[in-house]
Amino acid sequence: MDSATQQLLDAAGYDPSDEDIAFFEELRGRLVAANEQLNLTRLTEPADFWIKHVLDSMLPFLVVEGLRGLDEKAMVADFGAGGGFPGFVLARHFPHWDLALIERRQKKCDYLEATAEALGLENVYVVPLDAREAIHQVPALDRGCDLVVARAVGRLGKVTRAAEPLLRPHGLILHYKGGSLAQDEINEGKKAAREMVAKQHEPVYYDLPPDARRAAVLVESRPHARKRKEALRRRQSSQRSKT
């Protein structure tokens, strides 16, 4: 890592250890190699990797108050894991969490599995399914997640509708969004959250150095949401049996 990049990380309050740096440099090497076949990301240069992948994945956990009370043994799902961000970053910095990387494209799942094994991430497992299927087929997810993270996946409303059933009561969805988040998307997200018996909190805006702006949007599942989810599942199951 060059000194300019190190200064930007320091300014953001992120101070990776020498072991962390070695870990992420190995991850970058694997990402660059796999990117030739899988088109995982356009951002593979060292500075871009550290700022726009690693730091961008970690910053909400440094600046958003609502993310600081998560249990040490939290169950976390990366919704649409893609190239492994933020999943791999969170797995490194929160080794007591269980991380489920949900990715429906098999080639990307193969990359995620091979990379997690090579990096020794024993708290990571890959779910090669759509989130709606994963809820029913992966026991750990059926019990409910403490946190679902969604980075570069889609609009607030659509992602909330798809991801909220993964949550246990009081579980959180963390939407990683750009700093120019439009009011119509915020309103769509609030409507979807209400429909899912959840609450969307106001965006938290923060800076990604050197000159970018980001927003974190938290959605919290209500205590009685689980009963509604079970009723919805029974209705969906009944509808499928009739077709």
Side-chain angles (χ1 to χ4, degrees):
M1 184 194 310
D2 62 54
S3 60
T5 301
Q6 181 68 65
Q7 289 176 1
L8 291 176
L9 298 181
D10 290 343
Y14 177 56
D15 183 24
S17 67
D18 291 343
E19 292 79 8
D20 293 331
I21 292 171
F23 173 92
F24 287 120
E25 287 296 345
E26 181 176 352
L27 174 58
R28 190 180 76 85
R30 293 182 175 277
L31 182 71
V32 170
N35 204 47
E36 296 179 5
Q37 285 78 38
L38 298 179
N39 192 28
L40 296 167
T41 179
R42 296 178 292 103
L43 305 172
T44 57
E45 292 301 312
D48 284 339
F49 172 83
W50 276 100
I51 299 300
K52 297 179 181 179
H53 284 317
V54 179
L55 180 60
D56 190 45
S57 294
M58 271 300 294
L59 261 180
F61 296 88
L62 301 178
V63 302
V64 179
E65 186 69 30
L67 292 170
R68 294 178 184 172
L70 286 171
D71 190 276
E72 264 196 5
K73 300 292 186 181
M75 178 70 214
V76 180
D78 185 349
F79 183 90
F85 301 98
F88 285 148
V89 178
L90 301 184
R92 172 66 187 181
H93 286 298
F94 302 99
H96 298 298
W97 290 359
D98 288 321
L99 266 293
L101 307 188
I102 302 175
E103 173 56 55
R104 59 184 175 83
R105 288 158 289 195
Q106 187 58 55
K107 288 184 178 180
K108 290 188 177 181
C109 287
D110 293 341
Y111 160 75
L112 293 170
E113 287 181 336
T115 302
E117 182 177 358
L119 295 173
L121 292 173
E122 297 181 357
N123 59 332
V124 167
Y125 62 97
V126 178
V127 180
L129 298 168
D130 181 271
R132 296 175 181 85
E133 299 170 329
I135 295 168
H136 302 290
Q137 298 187 36
V138 181
L141 297 180
D142 187 57
R143 291 194 295 272
C145 295
D146 300 285
L147 175 67
V148 176
V149 293
R151 179 176 181 262
V153 179
R155 290 176 68 87
L156 287 171
K158 181 178 180 180
V159 176
T160 290
R161 287 187 178 93
E164 199 278 342
L166 292 165
L167 297 179
R168 62 183 53 171
H170 294 299
L172 296 172
I173 302 171
L174 166 60
H175 295 272
Y176 289 73
K177 304 298 292 185
S180 58
L181 184 59
Q183 188 62 46
D184 68 321
E185 183 175 352
I186 294 173
N187 293 340
E188 286 175 18
K190 288 181 177 180
K191 179 181 178 182
R194 288 194 299 269
E195 292 171 358
M196 302 304 295
V197 196
K199 177 183 178 181
Q200 177 178 294
H201 296 267
E202 291 302 315
V204 177
Y205 293 95
Y206 55 93
D207 294 323
L208 177 71
D211 54 10
R213 189 78 167 152
R214 293 287 189 265
V217 180
L218 295 182
V219 175
E220 182 179 0
S221 183
R222 297 297 197 182
H224 55 289
R226 196 72 175 174
K227 291 182 179 179
R228 172 166 178 171
K229 293 174 197 176
E230 291 169 357
L232 286 171
R233 291 182 193 180
R234 288 195 296 270
R235 188 187 312 163
Q236 292 166 354
S237 178
S238 176
Q239 289 171 347
R240 285 194 297 268
S241 66
K242 292 177 182 177
T243 59

